[in-house]
Amino acid sequence: MGTSARPADGAVTLAELREFASFPSATQRYIRRSLDIGLHRRDAMKLWSRDMVEEASIRAQSRIYGRLEEIKACVPDDSGLEQVEPFMAPLVTISAFDLGQDRLGSFSAYRFLYERLLGAGARPWLPGAFCAAASLPHLHPDKRRALLQSISEAAATAVGWSNREPTFYPEWVEKVDMSKAN
């Protein structure tokens, strides 16, 4: 039984890798940066900042992402409304920040990032958080329209969600000078 799960895991990882590869390079970069900040993987400022504007953005993102642990701790078990507010309010705020950075141009990129930041338990709540954040007035109307049109009817009206945790977590990869490699 355990051996039959291995090929499925590989296929899932490959599908996740393909999905990540389908995103524009700026989106890929932002997802990797966000995972470094949100999962405390490495020094995001040192690795990702190219100028003062990006430094300020990383500082702001680090402050905003300070609530991720709190959000993870209160992912609702079911659709009980009493559990929604302490979870959704901060999730929409963080989501609004990320969408306002203009690097996550679609629901699939947003979902890809947030499944990794929060885990599979948050999956049923991501369409609602995305739509709420994408509807906020801090985004240009054309951007709001594009974001809201990026969520498929199937994603918005899904009957159920997988509880399988993501397996592929993209990371920074240093360039290798192949002329020096033996």
Side-chain angles (χ1 to χ4, degrees), residues 6 20 24 28 34 55 64 77 88 111 130 143 166 176:
R6 292 288 178 219
F20 181 73
Q28 291 178 13
S34 299
E55 278 183 33
I64 295 278
D77 299 0
M88 287 295 277
R111 180 195 44 74
F130 175 82
K143 180 68 175 173
V176 175

Side-chain angles (χ1 to χ4, degrees), residues 138-166:
H138 76 295
L139 298 173
H140 188 276
D142 293 337
K143 180 68 175 173
R144 289 196 308 259
R145 180 181 308 105
L147 286 168
L148 291 169
Q149 288 176 344
S150 75
I151 187 167
S152 69
E153 182 178 341
T157 63
V159 175
W161 293 267
S162 168
N163 61 1
R164 180 197 49 77
E165 292 294 335

